[in-house]
Amino acid sequence: MKDWIAATGGRQEAGHRVTFETPAAPRVALDTTVMTPLAHLGVLDVEGADAERFLQGQTSAQLSLADGGFAPLTCFCTPKGRVLANAQLMRIAPAHFRLIMHASLVPSLAEHLAKFAAFYKAELRVRDDLALLGLIGREAPALAEVRFDAAAPRPWHQAGDEAVQLLAHPGPRPRLLVCLPAERVEEDWQRLKEHATPVDNAVWRLQDIQAGLAWLNAEQRDTYLPQMINWEALGGISFKKGCYTGQEVVARAHFRGQVKKRLVRAQLDGGLLPEPGSAIEDANDKRLGEVLGAELDAYGEAEVLAVMSTKEPALPLRCAGQKLKLLKLPYAVERLDPEALAAR
């Protein structure tokens, strides 16, 4: 649990959830500017003279693209190409990189990378002294600019300085992730609260689902190829860089078209949230895939991200005893080179 959450007045619950007394929070987020503690996300820093060279051999991102403006998605894989953690990468200073990922994966990734960092002038730091806040809504960019003195960046870019960073994420409403020292949270939260309504962090997670963006957790570690969570369609894989752990398998799957499962977005016809790992079955009771995450939308129905077979299913589909309807993703499921994304 994170001590800084108390400064927001939110109630910490199991599963990295934070709740407030705001009723119908997803509906409130449709029409107003809201804010939430992103307790489900965590921070790992990599610093040192060899930090860039070290990360270049470990991650799917092209490190030179992380220039303090563009903040690419990335992932770390096993030699068999399975994702150990997927993250967003920022450059804080020339020899200082910051990774944002699901909080449950920070310790295991730090332990994994430490085995290789010993051969470089690079230090890993789990940043429990930092807090992550989310701002959602039309006024979010202006609110962040006034409070943090930095113009809001475009999606997958960063702004700010070494103390406070802003990251823009895609979604149905403007979204900004704010990374700041935990000691500042109480003051900043109270000032932001004058113009934004506190809501559960489930609202941010819902918008991730609507954006087709899956953050794997510790239970999903070492399970999926990056393409199975559409990571190359989001610009999270550079196919133009040199070798990194798992690169051969990831590239082979891409160029030979061997990806048999993909991330899908769906909606259930009821308000029962399926647990991660819940089976998606077709009309013949055949298991087609499993749920990665689910949240209730503004109308009380469950929206889902799942990894599912690319074969044409036998309809109707169901999950957790409810009918499941596939929804359109907000992006094309095709390769998006981060080099092109950075140049936009």
Side-chain angles (χ1 to χ4, degrees):
M1 308 299 269
K2 301 184 178 181
D3 293 339
W4 61 266
I5 300 297
T8 70
R11 184 171 64 253
Q12 298 187 64
E13 299 182 353
H16 301 281
R17 291 184 177 273
V18 178
T19 60
F20 291 85
E21 297 301 323
T22 305
R27 185 176 290 274
V28 171
L30 292 178
D31 303 314
T32 64
T33 300
V34 300
M35 61 182 185
T36 186
L38 303 180
H40 59 291
L41 299 177
V43 182
L44 177 64
D45 278 8
V46 184
E47 300 178 71
D50 291 341
E52 181 167 343
R53 188 163 65 93
F54 163 61
L55 284 173
Q56 182 73 359
Q58 295 295 326
T59 182
S60 65
Q62 175 62 265
L63 266 291
S64 62
L65 296 177
D67 57 2
F70 182 51
L73 292 177
T74 189
C75 63
F76 297 82
C77 298
T78 68
K80 294 183 178 180
R82 304 287 167 166
V83 178
L84 293 173
N86 59 328
Q88 186 172 13
L89 175 69
M90 291 189 282
R91 190 189 293 259
I92 306 301
H96 182 183
F97 295 90
R98 177 159 294 160
L99 293 158
I100 309 290
M101 70 195 78
H102 196 278
S104 67
L105 284 173
V106 173
S108 62
L109 183 63
E111 182 180 358
H112 169 77
L113 292 179
K115 294 181 291 186
F116 309 99
F119 301 100
Y120 296 84
K121 294 178 181 178
E123 179 185 357
L124 301 164
R125 283 201 294 158
V126 176
R127 296 302 302 269
D128 292 328
D129 60 326
L130 297 177
L132 301 174
L133 304 179
L135 291 169
I136 306 171
R138 187 178 61 184
E139 301 301 325
L143 185 57
E145 183 172 356
V146 170
R147 184 61 200 160
F148 302 109
D149 195 27
R154 62 187 186 275
W156 303 134
H157 285 71
Q158 69 182 84
D161 53 29
E162 291 192 36
V164 178
Q165 300 86 44
L166 304 180
L167 290 169
H169 283 195
R173 300 289 183 275
R175 288 201 297 165
L176 290 172
L177 182 155
V178 185
C179 180
L180 71 166
E183 62 190 20
R184 286 189 49 166
V185 168
E186 185 170 6
E187 179 183 354
D188 287 327
W189 184 267
Q190 293 304 319
R191 293 294 184 88
L192 292 169
K193 191 177 175 181
E194 296 172 7
H195 306 281
T197 304
V199 295
D200 307 350
N201 65 340
V203 173
W204 184 275
R205 291 153 70 136
L206 171 65
Q207 296 220 356
D208 274 342
I209 290 171
Q210 293 171 339
L213 176 61
W215 297 106
L216 300 182
N217 62 35
E219 294 180 355
Q220 297 154 346
R221 181 178 182 268
D222 194 11
T223 303
Y224 303 106
L225 293 172
Q227 290 96 331
M228 291 180 181
I229 57 170
N230 294 350
W231 217 235
E232 92 284 23
L234 290 161
I237 305 172
S238 173
F239 291 97
K240 299 181 180 182
K241 67 172 285 184
C243 293
Y244 59 90
T245 303
Q247 182 262 347
E248 183 178 353
V249 176
V250 173
R252 186 187 309 125
H254 171 70
F255 290 110
R256 294 185 180 179
Q258 295 176 334
V259 182
K260 298 180 180 179
K261 291 185 175 182
R262 280 286 186 179
L263 187 74
V264 299
R265 179 175 164 238
Q267 186 175 53
L268 302 181
D269 67 351
L272 175 65
L273 282 181
E275 292 291 331
S278 296
I280 295 174
E281 299 175 318
D282 66 9
N284 301 319
D285 298 332
K286 181 180 179 181
R287 184 186 178 111
L288 302 179
E290 60 279 342
V291 170
L292 291 186
E295 298 293 347
L296 295 181
D297 64 16
Y299 307 99
E301 295 189 322
E303 294 198 28
V304 171
L305 284 182
V307 173
M308 204 173 92
S309 170
T310 57
K311 292 182 179 180
E312 193 70 26
L315 301 177
L317 303 178
R318 67 179 183 277
C319 177
Q322 300 168 97
K323 290 183 180 178
L324 180 142
K325 178 178 71 173
L326 295 177
L327 301 176
K328 186 176 180 180
L329 286 164
Y331 52 80
V333 183
E334 59 188 30
R335 172 176 161 180
L336 173 61
D337 288 327
E339 291 81 2
L341 193 58
R344 287 181 181 174

